[in-house]
């Protein structure tokens, strides 16, 4: 067994234990904490699999932002989960077992490429071209098409530049919409009469500056 | 050498995971998650050296930062029950 395989097995075992813990625990605060652990573990697995950029995203979004968002949700709801009906739980169990069994069955197919096989379509279609265009080939005089040293960055910023631009526009628009909605609520609360007696210019100015 | 470190870190990760699942108090779990994050940073560094690619160290740094922010958010939630509660100074301004 290689180094990676042993580390992968240990990490995946812990991942499974965390998932079972998340499903079994009724205390939602504990579940939030465990989901943070879950994404830290999966980010580690991504690093072992050499998908460093995916691991970056998983750690920032999964462990960082999602934990904060889930805690914010906890403030608005109960701290304890209620059990669903017996029939509901049995149905969910059947769906999960069937789906997991189907995924295991798919890996048994001899036509499926082996893990890390260099001859799969994913590795032979456009990837060699990207690698050739990105990484300078030793001392060859042939000019490099894209002058970015990292292949992932080349694909994201050059080959899929318009795609990335579209994604950025979408996220920017969503951010502005959220800010507008939040600002609306805050201003209405400030404008309710009685809270802000007239004649206090400093408070008005402070409120305006904050908005 | 790195193998011994890796085994130690993996055992410590498992122990932190047990504490996070078993609890019983909220503070056990916060401490477990925080030490889990720190151990992840260590594990990533050691994995980088085990595989001969120490350039993974940058990612370990980012993890350390995220871990810090997450812990601050959790503690603020527990102390105030809110992320954006007005402080005493803000209240004085408004009245």
């Amino acid at each position: 067994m290689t180094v990676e395989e042993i580390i992968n097995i240990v990490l995946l075992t812990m991942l499974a234990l965390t998932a079972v813990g998340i499903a079994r625990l009724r205390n939602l605060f504990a579940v939030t904490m465990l989901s943070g652990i879950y994404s830290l573990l999966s980010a580690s697995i991504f690093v072992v699999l050499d998908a460093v950029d995916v691991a970056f995203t998983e750690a920032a979004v999964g462990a960082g932002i999602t934990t904060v968002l889930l805690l914010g949700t906890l403030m608005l709801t109960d701290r304890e989960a209620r059990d669903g009906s017996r029939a509901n739980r049995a149905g969910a169990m059947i769906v999960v077992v069937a789906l997991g069994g189907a995924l295991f069955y798919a890996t048994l197919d001899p036509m499926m490429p082996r893990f890390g096989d260099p001859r799969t379509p994913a590795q032979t279609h456009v990837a060699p071209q990207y690698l050739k265009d990105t990484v300078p080939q030793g001392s060859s005089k042939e000019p490099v098409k894209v002058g970015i040293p990292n292949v992932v960055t080349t694909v994201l910023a050059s080959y899929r530049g318009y795609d990335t631009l579209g994604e950025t526009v979408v996220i920017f628009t969503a951010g502005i919409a959220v800010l507008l909605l939040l600002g609306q609520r805050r201003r209405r609360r400030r404008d309710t009469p009685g809270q802000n007696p007239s004649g206090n210019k400093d408070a008005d100015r402070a409120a305006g500056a904050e908005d | 050498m790195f193998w011994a470190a890796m085994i130690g870190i993996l055992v410590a990760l498992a122990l932190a995971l047990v504490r996070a699942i078993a609890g019983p108090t909220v503070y056990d779990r916060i401490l477990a998650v925080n030490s889990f994050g720190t151990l992840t940073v260590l594990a990533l560094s050691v994995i980088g050296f085990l595989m001969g690619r120490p350039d993974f160290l940058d990612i370990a740094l980012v993890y350390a930062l995220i871990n810090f922010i997450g812990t601050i958010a959790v503690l603020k939630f527990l102390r105030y029950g809110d992320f954006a509660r007005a402080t005493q100074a803000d209240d004085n301004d408004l009245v």
Side-chain angles (χ1 to χ4, degrees), chain A residues 171-200:
Chain A
I171 292 175
F172 182 66
T173 316
I176 289 180
V178 168
L179 284 180
L180 281 175
L181 287 172
L182 289 178
Q184 202 89 34
R185 211 179 99 197
R186 243 176 140 189
R187 208 165 301 135
R188 211 174 295 144
R189 202 188 296 158
R190 284 241 171 77
D191 289 347
T192 43
Q195 253 191 355
N196 196 357
S198 57
N200 194 342

Side-chain angles (χ1 to χ4, degrees), chain A residues 15-147:
Chain A
L15 201 67
L17 285 177
T18 317
V20 171
I22 290 176
R24 298 289 307 172
L25 282 175
R26 295 271 77 94
N27 181 350
L28 289 179
F29 184 83
V31 169
T32 310
M33 297 289 97
L34 279 177
S35 75
I37 287 184
Y38 189 91
S39 51
L40 278 176
L41 272 173
S42 43
S44 312
I45 292 172
F46 288 142
V47 170
V48 177
L49 292 175
D50 248 2
V52 175
D53 52 316
V54 186
F56 243 108
T57 317
E58 175 63 39
V61 175
I65 304 291
T66 310
T67 309
V68 175
L69 287 181
L70 284 178
L71 282 175
T73 317
L74 266 188
M75 289 168 194
L76 305 174
T77 57
D78 264 351
R79 290 213 185 179
E80 293 282 326
R82 284 186 213 94
D83 279 329
S85 71
R86 237 189 149 67
N88 261 350
R89 278 191 285 167
M93 191 72 193
I94 290 169
V95 169
V96 167
V97 169
L99 185 63
L103 288 175
F104 270 113
Y105 178 69
T107 63
L108 296 178
D109 190 343
M111 293 298 285
M112 289 284 278
R114 285 175 51 79
F115 177 73
D117 191 350
R119 285 165 303 166
T120 57
Q123 313 290 353
T124 52
H125 183 48
V126 286
Q129 187 66 36
Y130 288 155
L131 287 173
K132 198 160 75 64
D133 286 350
T134 308
V135 184
Q137 302 278 334
S139 59
S140 75
K141 290 280 174 283
E142 195 184 335
V144 177
K145 207 185 250 172
V146 187

Side-chain angles (χ1 to χ4, degrees), chain A residues 3-4 14 18 27 29-30 33-34 37 40-41 43-44 47-48 50 52 55-56 59-60 68 71-72 75 190 200 203, chain B residues 3 14 17 20 26 29 33 36-37 40 44 47 51 53 56 59 62-63 66 73-74 77 81-83 93-95:
Chain A
V3 181
E4 295 166 43
M14 283 198 268
T18 317
N27 181 350
F29 184 83
M33 297 289 97
L34 279 177
I37 287 184
L40 278 176
L41 272 173
S44 312
V47 170
V48 177
D50 248 2
V52 175
F56 243 108
V68 175
L71 282 175
M75 289 168 194
R190 284 241 171 77
N200 194 342
Chain B
W3 263 114
L17 185 59
V26 166
R29 294 199 163 107
V33 171
F36 205 94
T40 312
L44 287 188
I47 287 173
M51 296 181 180
R53 295 184 57 184
F56 284 176
I59 310 153
V62 174
Y63 278 36
I66 290 165
V74 171
F77 166 70
D82 196 343
F83 288 129
D93 270 355
L94 284 178
V95 175

